[in-house]
Amino acid sequence: MATIVAPPPRASLPRDMGRDGGSGPGASITHRTGVMLGLAAVSMMFIGLTSAYVVSQGLGPLWKQVHLSPLIGINAAVLLASGYAMERARRGISRGWLIGTLVLGVAFLAGQVGVFRQLADEGLYLSTGRQTSFYYVLAGLHGIHILGGVTALAWAAVGMKRSTLELTSLYWHFMGGLWLYLLLVIFL
Amino acid sequence: MSSHASTSHSTGHAAPQGFIRKYVFSTDHKVIGIQYIFLGLFSAILGTALSMMMRLRLAWPGSQFPLLEHIFPTGFPGGVMSPEFYLAVLTIHGTIMVFFLLTTVPLSGFGNYILPIQIGARDMAFPVLNMLSYWTTVVALMVLMASMFVEGGAPISGWTAYPPLSALGKIAGPGLGAGQTLWIASIAIFCLASLLTALNFITTTLNMRAAGMSLMRMPLTVWAWFTASTVALLAFPVLLGGGILLLLDRLAGTSFFLASGMVVSGKVMTNSGGSPILWQHLFWFFGHPEVYIIILPGMGITSHIISTFSRKPIFAYKAMVAAIFAIGFIGFIVWGHHMFASGMSPLVGMVFSVLTLTVGVPSAIKVFNWLATLWGGHIRCTASMLYALGFVSFFVTGGVTGLLLAQPAIDVYFHDTYFVVAHFHIIMGLAAVFSIFAALHFWFPKMFGRYMSETLGKVHFWITITGVYSIFIPMHFLGMAGAPRRYAQFTEFAYLSKLQPLTIHISWAAFVVGAAQLILLFNIFRSMRWGKRAPDNAWEATTLEWVIPSPPPHDNFGDMEPVVYRGPYEFSVPGAKADFILQTEQEVEGGE
Amino acid sequence: MLLAPDLPGPLLKLLALFFWALAIATATAFIVHPIWLPENISLNGVDVDQQLNLTLCIAGAAFVIAHMLLGLFLWRFGGKQAGRALYWHESHRMETAWTVVTAVIFVGLGLQGSRVWAREYLTDPPANAMTIEVTGQQFAWNFRYPGPDGKFGRTRPDKVDDSEGNYIGLDDGDPAGTDDITTQNVIAIPVNRPIQLIIRSRDVLHSFFVPVLRFKQDAVPGMGIPVHFTATKTGEYEVACAELCGMQHYKMRARFLVMTDTDFNAWLKSRSQ
C-alpha cells in the first residue's frame, strides 16, 4: 500500500504524457505561460475600462475632448521605435539595443507626463469631464505598466539571459500594442 | 517532452529551516494552503458573529442589549443597535464571507494544498509569487478590518457598493467616508492577490503535470480549480478597473458613476454626466463569474468525494469536464440578470434571461451525474460524504429558485427581496460552505496525519443541515410576501409587520446553527493533536495525494517520480485486486 | 488494508428520510402557503402570477424529484452489500436524453417568460395613460402630477429646497410648472386607467416597489425611467424602497391609494390648493 512506483522503462510510458515544468528547459515554458496569463489579465482590465469608455460616450452632454496633440503622436512614435529596438535586442541578444529600448521607454514616460502637463495647462484636469477623466486613467494605468516594463528591461540588461529577453520583449511589444489600441479607442 | 520527464527534481527543493521561513513566509504550497484555510476560518468566525448580530436586530429591533453596548458603544447607543450599525455589519458580513471565506478557502486554500499534489508537482509554478499572493490577501483583510475602526465606521453600502451611495462620501451617510474608501482599497488589493493566485494555478496545471498526467486523467477537482482560476483571472481585473474608477469618483472629483444634477443632503453636487448603472455592469461582469469562482471548486470537491465514497467511477467524466467549462464560459455572459430592475434596456434583459436559463443546463447535468454515480454504489457513510450529499441537496434547492429569478417578469417582483437572500445563501453560501466542510474532513488526514472525529463531524452535519433548512426554506416566504433585503427592521410597513413571527423563528434557527459551528471548531483543533492516526491512503482513494505520506514531505514526492497510468476514478474495476486502483498503478490485474 | 471509520447503513438511511421529509414538507408549505404574495391588483400582474405559478410548479417538481431520487439511492445503496459496486460510468443515451429534456424545459420557460416581460415592458403605454412623475430622495418618495395643462414644468437642482417643500426643484420661472401638483409619501391613482410613471431620483439609487403591482423599478439619478400599469382594484397599499439608499432605507415608505375616478378627482383637487 501507499507505494510510489519507481520510474518504469521509457518504452512503457503512456503515450499521452503530461508536461513537465520545474527546473531546466521546462522553466522557460512555465515563465512564458505566466507572463502570457498576466497579459491576459491586463487585457481584461483595459477591455473593461475601454468598454466603460465607449458606453460613457453615449451619455450626457459634458464630453470635453482631449485633442490629439503633436506630443501624443511623438510619444507613439517613440514607443514604436522602442519596439523596434527591443526586437533588435532580442534577436541579437544585444545589450546596446536593450539599453536603447530602455532609454526610449523612459522617454515615452517623460512624454506622457508632458501630455498630462499640456492638458492641465489647457484647463483639462482629471475631473474636468468624463473624457479627460478616462484619458488620464487609461494613460496613467498604461504608464504604470510601462514603468514595470522599464524595470524589467533594466533587469534584463543586467543579466542578458536569452530567456529573460524573450519574456521582456513579449511584455514590451504587448504594451506597445496596447497603447495603439487605447489611442484608437480614445481618438476614433 | 519525455526526455526530461523522469529527471529528478529533488535537488532544487531543500526544506527551509527556521520558524519564519517554514510557517510564516513559507513558499511551500502546503503551508500556504493551510494559511489560507486558517485565514478563512478566522473570516468565517467573524462573518458568522456579524450575522448573529443582524438576526438579533431583525427579530427584536427595539430591544436593548446592554452587554453589546459595552462592546460597541457607538453601534448600540442605549443598548439598541442603530440602523446604520446594522448596515455596516451587513456590509462587512457580505464582503468578508464572499471574498475572504468563499473565494479564499475552496480555491486558494484547498486548491493550493491539493492541486500540485494531485497533478504530481512538487510545488506551484511560482512559489514566491504564491507566498506574496497570500500575504497580499492578509493585507486586504487587514485593510477591510481597519474600515470598521475609522470615524463613521464601516461602509453601509452593502457588498455590491452601488454608487452614488458608495461614491459620494460621508455627505450621503455614516460610514461612507474613510470606511468606504478603505473598503474599496481592500477589494482592489484582494483583486490583485486573487489574480496572481489564479495565474499561478493555471500555469501549474498547464506546465507542472507529472508524466502520464494527461488532461483527461486529471481529477475533477483539478479541472474545477483550473477553470475557476481561469474565470478569476479574467473577472478580477475588471473589478479592479471598476474599483479604480470608483475610488477616483470619491477622491478626485471625477464623475464616472455620478450623474448631473444630484442634490444630496440639501447640497447641489457638481458632478456631471456619469452613469451609476455603469458600475453595476462592471461589478456584475465580475460579480457573476465570482459566483462560479466560488461554486466550481465545490462542484469539483463534491464530484471527487461522491465518487470516492460510492466506490464508483464518477459518472460521465467527460460530460462533467464539459459542464465545468460550459458553466465557466456562460457565466461570463449572464451578468445582466442582476440588473433587470436597474433601468437597463428591457430587450437586453430578455437576452440575459434566456442565456441565464441556458447556464442551468450544465448545472442540471452535474446533478444527474452525481445521482448516477450514487446508483449501484457501495456508499460509505463518512462525515465527508454526508457534507458532499448536503452540497448536492443545496445545489438543487438553490438552483431551482434560480428558474424564477432568471425571468425578468418574475424577478422584478423578487429582486432585492428575501427570496433572493434565501436563494444565494443556499446556492453560493451553504453549498460552498458544505463543500469546505466536506473537503476539510476528506483531506484533514492528509494535512495533519490524523482523522477528524467522525462522530463530532456527523453531529455537526445533522445540526447544521437541519438548522440551515429551517432558516432558509421559511426565508423564501419572506421574499414571497415582498420583504425587501437590507432593511434594518420590518416594522415600518403594515404588510411586513405581520411577518415578524417568521423573522423571529429564523433568528432562533440561526442562533442554533451559529452555536453548532463551535462543534466544528472544537473538532478541528482537537483532531490536530488527538485525532485518530491516519494511514497514507486514508480513504482507500485513487488520486496522487494518497500515494505519498501524511503529512507529505516538503517536496511532496521525495526521491520518487510519480508516473500516472490511468484515470482518476478507477473504483470497483472488475477483476482488480482491491476496489480501488491508484493512478500510479501500472497493471490492471494482480498489481505489483 | 485499513478501513476508514465508515459506519454504513443507518445514518445514510436517516439522510434518505431527511431528504424525503424535506421534499414533502417544503412542497406542502408551498402548496398550503400560509404566507404568499399580497393580492395582485395590476392588469399585467395576472400574467406575472400565472408565469410565477408555472415556474414554481416546474421548480418544485425538479426539487421534489431530485430529493426523492437522492433519498432513494441512499436508501437502496447505503446499506451493507456483498461484492463490489457497479462498474458503470457512461450511458450516452441517458446523457443525451436528460441534456435535451432540461434544455427544452429551461429555454422554453425562458421564452415563455420573455413573452410576459415583452408584453409589459416592450410596449408603449395606451394613449389615454395618465403620467405621474416619481422622484426618490433620501428617504422619501415625491410624486408630481402635470395638472390641467398636461405638462410637467422644468426642474433645476439648485431650486431644491426641502425647508420650503420644493423637494424636486420645481422652477417657478416655467409657466408649465405653475399648475403641477406635488405630494410627498402619498400617491393616488384612478382605478382601471392606464398609468405611466416616470421614475427618477434626486440623489442615490432607490427602487420603487409596490408589491401589489408585481414590479419594482430602480430610480436612477440622471435618468427618467418609464413604466406603465393599470390598477384594477381600489384600496390603500404601500410603496417600499427596494434598493439600499442609506441608513433610513427601511423606513422609506409611501402610501399608494387606488381610487374611483370621482374620488381621485376630488383628491387631486384638494391637493392642488
Side-chain angles (χ1 to χ4, degrees):
Chain A
M1 55 167 288
T3 49
I4 297 177
V5 179
R10 189 128 306 143
S12 71
L13 279 174
R15 202 178 311 174
D16 46 349
M17 297 286 296
R19 288 172 68 183
D20 185 33
S23 55
S28 72
I29 297 173
T30 300
H31 289 143
R32 197 177 177 81
T33 311
V35 170
M36 286 178 48
L37 291 171
L39 293 177
V42 173
S43 306
M44 281 310 288
M45 183 167 82
F46 281 97
I47 287 172
L49 290 172
T50 48
S51 307
Y53 177 83
V54 172
V55 172
S56 294
Q57 229 163 358
L59 302 165
L62 277 162
W63 189 253
K64 281 200 182 169
Q65 283 295 338
V66 173
H67 294 290
L68 191 55
S69 68
L71 187 53
I72 294 178
I74 295 169
N75 285 345
V78 169
L79 196 58
L80 280 177
S82 80
Y84 173 76
M86 181 77 243
E87 201 52 21
R88 290 296 295 262
R90 182 183 73 87
R91 293 199 184 158
I93 316 196
S94 146
R95 182 171 273 149
W97 280 105
L98 196 61
I99 290 171
T101 315
L102 198 151
V103 170
L104 286 169
V106 173
F108 171 78
L109 276 177
Q112 291 290 77
V113 174
V115 174
F116 283 5
R117 295 201 50 174
Q118 274 187 355
L119 290 175
D121 288 345
E122 287 174 45
L124 296 175
Y125 300 103
L126 175 59
S127 60
T128 303
R130 281 167 303 126
Q131 204 249 3
T132 54
S133 304
F134 268 111
Y135 182 83
Y136 277 101
V137 168
L138 292 173
L141 285 174
H142 178 262
I144 291 171
H145 285 90
I146 287 285
L147 198 63
V150 167
T151 319
L153 285 171
W155 173 258
V158 173
M160 282 315 284
K161 270 167 58 183
R162 172 178 274 281
S163 56
T164 321
L165 269 177
E166 292 282 347
L167 296 179
T168 314
S169 87
L170 183 66
Y171 181 88
W172 194 256
H173 289 319
F174 181 87
M175 285 306 148
L178 176 62
W179 182 240
L180 294 183
Y181 161 74
L182 292 176
L183 285 181
L184 282 177
V185 171
I186 297 171
F187 294 109
L188 275 185
Chain B
M1 202 78 54
S2 59
S3 61
H4 54 83
S6 50
T7 49
S8 176
H9 294 263
S10 47
T11 45
H13 279 272
Q17 302 301 318
F19 182 79
I20 302 256
R21 286 289 316 279
K22 218 167 161 181
Y23 296 112
V24 183
F25 296 107
S26 171
T27 57
D28 183 341
H29 70 100
K30 297 184 291 298
V31 177
I32 295 173
I34 291 174
Q35 285 175 327
Y36 270 117
I37 291 169
F38 275 92
L39 178 106
L41 196 62
F42 170 79
S43 305
I45 294 170
L46 185 60
T48 308
L50 294 174
S51 71
M52 296 298 121
M53 279 160 60
M54 286 155 69
R55 291 313 319 176
L56 216 51
R57 164 143 187 136
L58 286 173
W60 302 282
S63 304
Q64 296 191 332
F65 304 99
L67 181 67
L68 288 167
E69 191 187 4
H70 285 295
I71 311 173
F72 308 100
T74 49
F76 286 78
V80 180
M81 186 174 185
S82 69
E84 58 270 31
F85 190 70
Y86 172 84
L87 290 176
V89 167
L90 173 149
T91 302
I92 300 295
H93 166 78
T95 311
I96 220 164
M97 289 303 210
V98 168
F99 290 103
F100 295 95
L101 173 66
L102 300 178
T103 308
T104 299
V105 175
L107 182 58
S108 311
F110 289 108
N112 239 311
Y113 197 105
I114 300 297
L115 183 142
I117 306 182
Q118 279 192 338
I119 62 171
R122 287 169 193 279
D123 204 326
M124 297 285 269
F126 308 109
V128 176
L129 189 71
N130 201 16
M131 173 191 77
L132 289 175
S133 305
Y134 172 72
W135 285 103
T136 311
T137 311
V138 173
V139 171
L141 181 58
M142 280 159 63
V143 173
L144 182 70
M145 306 271 294
S147 79
M148 293 185 259
F149 301 100
V150 293
E151 193 195 338
I156 60 168
S157 58
W159 83 278
T160 50
Y162 278 7
L165 194 61
S166 61
L168 286 167
K170 59 181 164 192
I171 187 171
L176 296 170
Q180 184 75 61
T181 305
L182 286 172
W183 184 93
I184 301 169
S186 162
I187 296 309
I189 298 168
F190 186 85
C191 285
L192 275 176
S194 298
L195 64 92
L196 292 177
T197 306
L199 183 154
N200 218 339
F201 277 29
I202 300 170
T203 312
T204 306
T205 311
L206 288 177
N207 293 337
M208 309 286 284
R209 280 172 285 128
M213 182 56 86
S214 61
L215 290 175
M216 294 315 270
R217 284 181 180 170
M218 298 198 307
L220 286 172
T221 40
V222 175
W223 273 114
W225 285 319
F226 175 72
T227 311
S229 298
T230 311
V231 173
L233 186 84
L234 301 178
F236 272 108
V238 177
L239 180 65
L240 181 59
I244 291 170
L245 300 187
L246 187 57
L247 212 52
L248 288 174
D249 271 4
R250 297 177 55 80
L251 302 177
T254 56
S255 306
F256 293 109
F257 307 124
L258 293 170
S260 316
M262 293 183 298
V263 183
V264 183
S265 305
K267 191 179 154 219
V268 181
M269 308 302 287
T270 55
N271 302 87
S272 67
S275 164
I277 296 187
L278 182 60
W279 165 262
Q280 298 180 27
H281 280 290
L282 290 170
F283 183 85
W284 289 116
F285 183 85
F286 147 81
H288 199 76
E290 163 72 1
V291 173
Y292 296 115
I293 296 168
I294 287 172
I295 209 66
L296 281 171
M299 292 175 171
I301 289 163
T302 299
S303 306
H304 197 77
I305 288 174
I306 285 188
S307 173
T308 302
F309 291 123
S310 299
R311 317 305 294 165
K312 276 191 64 196
I314 192 79
F315 191 83
Y317 174 86
K318 282 182 192 158
M320 288 302 244
V321 174
I324 290 175
F325 258 74
I327 291 169
F329 175 74
I330 304 173
F332 271 107
I333 47 174
V334 299
W335 77 90
H337 69 223
H338 296 269
M339 300 169 62
F340 289 142
S342 71
M344 182 178 69
S345 147
L347 201 62
V348 176
M350 222 153 88
V351 177
F352 276 123
S353 163
V354 176
L355 286 172
T356 301
L357 284 157
T358 318
V359 90
V361 178
S363 309
I365 289 174
K366 298 207 79 96
V367 175
F368 290 131
N369 288 339
W370 288 324
L371 286 174
T373 305
L374 291 173
W375 175 266
H378 279 198
I379 304 173
R380 290 189 183 174
C381 181
T382 60
S384 182
M385 181 65 168
L386 292 179
Y387 291 118
L389 293 167
F391 176 97
V392 177
S393 171
F394 288 131
F395 192 69
V396 170
T397 312
V400 294
T401 49
L403 292 178
L404 291 116
L405 299 173
Q407 300 178 49
I410 302 174
D411 180 67
V412 289
Y413 180 79
F414 284 127
H415 178 72
D416 268 351
T417 65
Y418 267 82
F419 196 86
V420 176
V421 177
H423 164 76
F424 75 71
H425 272 93
I426 291 179
I427 195 138
M428 177 168 99
L430 292 165
V433 164
F434 267 55
S435 78
I436 293 173
F437 293 155
L440 194 63
H441 284 77
F442 187 72
W443 283 309
F444 195 92
K446 181 50 61 186
M447 293 173 168
F448 299 102
R450 292 172 185 276
Y451 286 104
M452 283 179 78
S453 158
E454 282 288 313
T455 312
L456 287 177
K458 281 163 185 164
V459 170
H460 172 255
F461 166 81
W462 280 106
I463 300 178
T464 307
I465 194 168
T466 316
V468 148
Y469 268 126
S470 323
I471 297 171
F472 290 104
I473 295 286
M475 193 181 277
H476 287 94
F477 288 95
L478 280 182
M480 285 282 189
R485 66 194 277 210
R486 293 170 170 174
Y487 269 28
Q489 63 196 63
F490 294 128
T491 51
E492 299 293 313
F493 285 78
Y495 84 100
L496 296 177
S497 298
K498 354 179 242 217
L499 302 172
Q500 205 56 24
L502 189 58
T503 308
I504 292 171
H505 158 84
I506 291 173
S507 286
W508 280 117
F511 298 148
V512 172
V513 172
Q517 303 318 301
L518 297 174
I519 302 173
L520 179 78
L521 279 183
F522 175 73
N523 194 359
I524 292 173
F525 290 106
R526 192 204 69 98
S527 305
M528 279 165 76
R529 279 258 355 218
W530 295 287
K532 193 181 131 198
R533 281 203 181 278
D536 293 350
N537 191 350
W539 308 108
E540 299 182 319
T542 52
T543 43
L544 291 185
E545 74 268 36
W546 306 113
V547 172
I548 56 176
S550 306
H554 174 67
D555 59 357
N556 299 343
F557 293 94
D559 296 335
M560 302 298 178
E561 202 54 37
V563 178
V564 173
Y565 291 94
R566 60 189 67 250
Y569 301 114
E570 295 285 290
F571 289 103
S572 303
V573 178
K577 186 175 61 176
D579 74 343
F580 66 102
I581 308 176
L582 283 161
Q583 283 191 281
T584 49
E585 267 177 56
Q586 198 170 357
E587 302 299 326
V588 179
E589 279 163 289
E592 288 163 83
Chain C
M1 274 288 160
L2 63 116
L3 250 201
D6 55 333
L7 320 161
L11 271 181
L12 283 173
K13 295 207 166 165
L14 189 60
L15 190 58
L17 289 174
F18 176 83
F19 285 145
W20 289 335
L22 175 73
I24 292 166
T26 308
T28 313
F30 271 82
I31 291 165
V32 179
H33 62 259
I35 297 171
W36 204 240
L37 288 78
E39 67 171 327
N40 164 52
I41 63 154
S42 149
L43 213 53
N44 280 324
V46 179
D47 287 349
V48 174
D49 281 3
Q50 215 164 40
Q51 180 69 10
L52 171 68
N53 287 334
L54 171 73
T55 314
L56 263 182
C57 288
I58 292 174
F63 169 78
V64 170
I65 291 171
H67 279 90
M68 287 295 172
L69 287 180
L70 198 54
L72 192 69
F73 292 1
L74 292 180
W75 189 273
R76 168 103 198 265
F77 302 105
K80 277 212 185 299
Q81 297 162 81
R84 290 239 172 115
L86 194 62
Y87 189 74
W88 175 66
H89 57 82
E90 239 175 4
S91 163
H92 291 300
R93 197 184 299 170
M94 277 172 64
E95 290 173 48
T96 317
W98 66 46
T99 307
V100 171
V101 169
T102 2
V104 168
I105 293 177
F106 285 10
V107 175
L109 205 55
L111 294 175
Q112 170 78 12
S114 294
R115 278 177 43 202
V116 179
W117 172 251
R119 222 173 295 154
E120 201 173 348
Y121 281 82
L122 294 179
T123 52
D124 291 325
N128 64 339
M130 188 176 104
T131 303
I132 305 169
E133 187 194 63
V134 181
T135 307
Q137 73 173 77
Q138 284 180 324
F139 300 92
W141 291 107
N142 299 293
F143 302 97
R144 177 157 69 135
Y145 300 79
D149 67 349
K151 273 190 243 159
F152 290 113
R154 205 170 44 223
T155 59
R156 284 171 48 181
D158 54 346
K159 295 279 181 185
V160 169
D161 191 341
D162 287 359
S163 60
E164 290 198 7
N166 192 358
Y167 301 107
I168 55 172
L170 207 56
D171 184 358
D172 45 17
D174 182 6
T178 47
D179 63 347
D180 286 7
I181 301 156
T182 57
T183 65
Q184 191 171 56
N185 290 338
V186 57
I187 174 177
I189 57 160
V191 71
N192 289 329
R193 175 154 169 212
I195 307 289
Q196 182 178 41
L197 301 178
I198 308 291
I199 296 177
R200 303 180 189 280
S201 166
R202 73 168 221 202
D203 41 39
V204 299
L205 295 179
H206 303 279
S207 193
F208 182 84
F209 179 32
V210 185
V212 289
L213 292 179
R214 298 291 187 268
F215 80 88
K216 65 174 65 68
Q217 175 59 57
D218 282 9
V220 184
M223 292 175 82
I225 302 167
V227 285
H228 60 91
F229 63 90
T230 306
T232 53
K233 193 174 168 220
T234 58
E236 178 170 349
Y237 309 97
E238 288 173 298
V239 181
C241 178
E243 186 66 77
L244 179 56
C245 60
M247 54 187 282
Q248 288 178 43
H249 172 50
Y250 70 101
K251 341 180 159 169
M252 191 164 155
R253 168 180 182 271
R255 291 158 62 215
F256 186 86
L257 312 172
V258 185
M259 302 173 166
T260 59
D261 267 340
T262 35
D263 285 355
F264 173 72
N265 288 332
W267 180 87
L268 202 60
K269 203 165 204 178
S270 73
R271 290 280 162 166
S272 63
Q273 280 146 11

Short mmCIF file of all heavy atoms in Angstrom, two decimals, chain C residues 229-253:
data_model
loop_
_atom_site.label_atom_id
_atom_site.label_comp_id
_atom_site.label_asym_id
_atom_site.label_seq_id
_atom_site.Cartn_x
_atom_site.Cartn_y
_atom_site.Cartn_z
N PHE C 229 -48.75 50.65 -16.08
CA PHE C 229 -49.57 49.59 -15.49
C PHE C 229 -51.00 50.10 -15.37
O PHE C 229 -51.26 51.30 -15.53
CB PHE C 229 -49.04 49.20 -14.11
CG PHE C 229 -49.12 50.32 -13.11
CD1 PHE C 229 -50.26 50.50 -12.30
CD2 PHE C 229 -48.08 51.23 -12.98
CE1 PHE C 229 -50.33 51.54 -11.40
CE2 PHE C 229 -48.15 52.28 -12.08
CZ PHE C 229 -49.27 52.44 -11.28
N THR C 230 -51.90 49.19 -15.08
CA THR C 230 -53.28 49.57 -14.80
C THR C 230 -53.72 48.87 -13.52
O THR C 230 -53.63 47.64 -13.45
CB THR C 230 -54.21 49.13 -15.95
OG1 THR C 230 -53.68 49.66 -17.17
CG2 THR C 230 -55.61 49.64 -15.74
N ALA C 231 -54.13 49.63 -12.55
CA ALA C 231 -54.60 49.03 -11.30
C ALA C 231 -56.09 48.71 -11.43
O ALA C 231 -56.84 49.51 -11.99
CB ALA C 231 -54.36 49.97 -10.13
N THR C 232 -56.50 47.56 -10.89
CA THR C 232 -57.87 47.12 -11.14
C THR C 232 -58.72 47.07 -9.87
O THR C 232 -59.84 46.60 -9.90
CB THR C 232 -57.86 45.71 -11.76
OG1 THR C 232 -57.09 44.85 -10.92
CG2 THR C 232 -57.29 45.74 -13.16
N LYS C 233 -58.15 47.51 -8.75
CA LYS C 233 -58.93 47.40 -7.51
C LYS C 233 -58.62 48.59 -6.61
O LYS C 233 -57.44 48.94 -6.43
CB LYS C 233 -58.56 46.10 -6.81
CG LYS C 233 -59.50 45.75 -5.70
CD LYS C 233 -59.19 44.38 -5.11
CE LYS C 233 -59.98 44.24 -3.83
NZ LYS C 233 -59.25 43.60 -2.77
N THR C 234 -59.65 49.21 -6.08
CA THR C 234 -59.41 50.36 -5.20
C THR C 234 -58.93 49.88 -3.83
O THR C 234 -59.15 48.74 -3.43
CB THR C 234 -60.69 51.18 -5.00
OG1 THR C 234 -61.68 50.31 -4.45
CG2 THR C 234 -61.18 51.77 -6.30
N GLY C 235 -58.27 50.78 -3.13
CA GLY C 235 -57.80 50.43 -1.79
C GLY C 235 -56.54 51.20 -1.45
O GLY C 235 -56.02 51.97 -2.27
N GLU C 236 -56.05 50.99 -0.22
CA GLU C 236 -54.81 51.63 0.17
C GLU C 236 -53.70 50.59 0.28
O GLU C 236 -53.85 49.57 0.95
CB GLU C 236 -54.97 52.35 1.53
CG GLU C 236 -53.65 52.96 1.95
CD GLU C 236 -53.74 53.90 3.15
OE1 GLU C 236 -54.86 54.25 3.54
OE2 GLU C 236 -52.68 54.23 3.68
N TYR C 237 -52.60 50.84 -0.37
CA TYR C 237 -51.47 49.91 -0.41
C TYR C 237 -50.20 50.67 -0.02
O TYR C 237 -50.25 51.84 0.34
CB TYR C 237 -51.36 49.27 -1.79
CG TYR C 237 -52.67 48.69 -2.27
CD1 TYR C 237 -53.52 49.41 -3.13
CD2 TYR C 237 -53.10 47.44 -1.83
CE1 TYR C 237 -54.73 48.88 -3.55
CE2 TYR C 237 -54.31 46.90 -2.24
CZ TYR C 237 -55.13 47.63 -3.10
OH TYR C 237 -56.33 47.12 -3.50
N GLU C 238 -49.04 49.99 -0.17
CA GLU C 238 -47.79 50.61 0.27
C GLU C 238 -46.72 50.59 -0.81
O GLU C 238 -46.63 49.64 -1.59
CB GLU C 238 -47.24 49.89 1.52
CG GLU C 238 -48.05 50.15 2.77
CD GLU C 238 -47.60 49.29 3.94
OE1 GLU C 238 -47.70 48.06 3.83
OE2 GLU C 238 -47.14 49.86 4.95
N VAL C 239 -45.92 51.64 -0.86
CA VAL C 239 -44.74 51.69 -1.72
C VAL C 239 -43.52 51.53 -0.81
O VAL C 239 -43.40 52.23 0.19
CB VAL C 239 -44.62 53.06 -2.44
CG1 VAL C 239 -43.38 53.07 -3.34
CG2 VAL C 239 -45.87 53.37 -3.22
N ALA C 240 -42.64 50.61 -1.18
CA ALA C 240 -41.42 50.43 -0.40
C ALA C 240 -40.22 50.81 -1.26
O ALA C 240 -40.31 50.82 -2.49
CB ALA C 240 -41.28 48.98 0.05
N CYS C 241 -39.10 51.12 -0.61
CA CYS C 241 -37.85 51.31 -1.35
C CYS C 241 -37.11 49.98 -1.31
O CYS C 241 -36.90 49.41 -0.25
CB CYS C 241 -36.99 52.40 -0.74
SG CYS C 241 -35.43 52.59 -1.63
N ALA C 242 -36.71 49.50 -2.48
CA ALA C 242 -36.09 48.18 -2.53
C ALA C 242 -34.63 48.24 -2.97
O ALA C 242 -34.05 47.22 -3.30
CB ALA C 242 -36.87 47.27 -3.47
N GLU C 243 -34.03 49.42 -2.99
CA GLU C 243 -32.60 49.49 -3.30
C GLU C 243 -31.94 50.27 -2.18
O GLU C 243 -32.37 51.38 -1.86
CB GLU C 243 -32.38 50.19 -4.65
CG GLU C 243 -30.95 50.19 -5.13
CD GLU C 243 -30.45 48.79 -5.45
OE1 GLU C 243 -30.79 48.26 -6.51
OE2 GLU C 243 -29.71 48.24 -4.61
N LEU C 244 -30.92 49.66 -1.58
CA LEU C 244 -30.25 50.26 -0.43
C LEU C 244 -29.87 51.71 -0.71
O LEU C 244 -29.16 52.01 -1.67
CB LEU C 244 -29.00 49.45 -0.10
CG LEU C 244 -28.15 49.94 1.07
CD1 LEU C 244 -28.98 50.04 2.33
CD2 LEU C 244 -26.97 49.02 1.29
N CYS C 245 -30.40 52.63 0.13
CA CYS C 245 -30.19 54.05 -0.17
C CYS C 245 -29.62 54.80 1.03
O CYS C 245 -29.52 56.01 1.00
CB CYS C 245 -31.49 54.68 -0.63
SG CYS C 245 -32.82 54.58 0.58
N GLY C 246 -29.27 54.09 2.09
CA GLY C 246 -28.70 54.78 3.24
C GLY C 246 -29.33 54.29 4.53
O GLY C 246 -30.06 53.31 4.55
N MET C 247 -29.04 55.01 5.62
CA MET C 247 -29.37 54.47 6.94
C MET C 247 -30.86 54.33 7.20
O MET C 247 -31.28 53.49 7.96
CB MET C 247 -28.70 55.29 8.04
CG MET C 247 -29.00 56.77 7.97
SD MET C 247 -28.01 57.68 9.15
CE MET C 247 -28.93 57.36 10.62
N GLN C 248 -31.72 55.16 6.55
CA GLN C 248 -33.15 55.02 6.81
C GLN C 248 -33.90 54.35 5.67
O GLN C 248 -35.10 54.53 5.51
CB GLN C 248 -33.75 56.38 7.13
CG GLN C 248 -33.33 56.86 8.50
CD GLN C 248 -33.88 58.22 8.80
OE1 GLN C 248 -35.05 58.52 8.53
NE2 GLN C 248 -33.07 59.06 9.39
N HIS C 249 -33.17 53.58 4.91
CA HIS C 249 -33.74 52.82 3.80
C HIS C 249 -35.00 52.07 4.25
O HIS C 249 -36.00 52.03 3.54
CB HIS C 249 -32.66 51.85 3.33
CG HIS C 249 -33.09 50.85 2.32
ND1 HIS C 249 -33.77 51.18 1.18
CD2 HIS C 249 -32.92 49.50 2.27
CE1 HIS C 249 -34.00 50.08 0.48
NE2 HIS C 249 -33.50 49.05 1.11
N TYR C 250 -34.94 51.50 5.46
CA TYR C 250 -36.03 50.65 5.94
C TYR C 250 -37.31 51.40 6.25
O TYR C 250 -38.34 50.80 6.50
CB TYR C 250 -35.58 49.85 7.17
CG TYR C 250 -35.38 50.71 8.39
CD1 TYR C 250 -36.36 50.74 9.39
CD2 TYR C 250 -34.24 51.48 8.57
CE1 TYR C 250 -36.20 51.53 10.52
CE2 TYR C 250 -34.07 52.27 9.68
CZ TYR C 250 -35.05 52.29 10.65
OH TYR C 250 -34.89 53.08 11.76
N LYS C 251 -37.24 52.75 6.29
CA LYS C 251 -38.47 53.50 6.55
C LYS C 251 -38.91 54.31 5.35
O LYS C 251 -39.72 55.21 5.48
CB LYS C 251 -38.39 54.49 7.69
CG LYS C 251 -37.38 54.42 8.70
CD LYS C 251 -37.65 55.59 9.66
CE LYS C 251 -37.00 55.31 10.98
NZ LYS C 251 -36.99 56.45 11.84
N MET C 252 -38.36 54.07 4.21
CA MET C 252 -38.72 54.89 3.05
C MET C 252 -40.03 54.35 2.46
O MET C 252 -40.03 53.49 1.60
CB MET C 252 -37.58 54.84 2.03
CG MET C 252 -37.76 55.85 0.93
SD MET C 252 -36.24 56.08 0.05
CE MET C 252 -36.87 56.63 -1.52
N ARG C 253 -41.11 54.88 2.98
CA ARG C 253 -42.42 54.31 2.68
C ARG C 253 -43.36 55.39 2.16
O ARG C 253 -43.31 56.53 2.59
CB ARG C 253 -43.01 53.73 3.97
CG ARG C 253 -44.46 53.34 3.91
CD ARG C 253 -44.88 52.77 5.25
NE ARG C 253 -46.28 52.34 5.21
CZ ARG C 253 -47.30 53.14 5.49
NH1 ARG C 253 -47.11 54.39 5.85
NH2 ARG C 253 -48.54 52.67 5.42
#
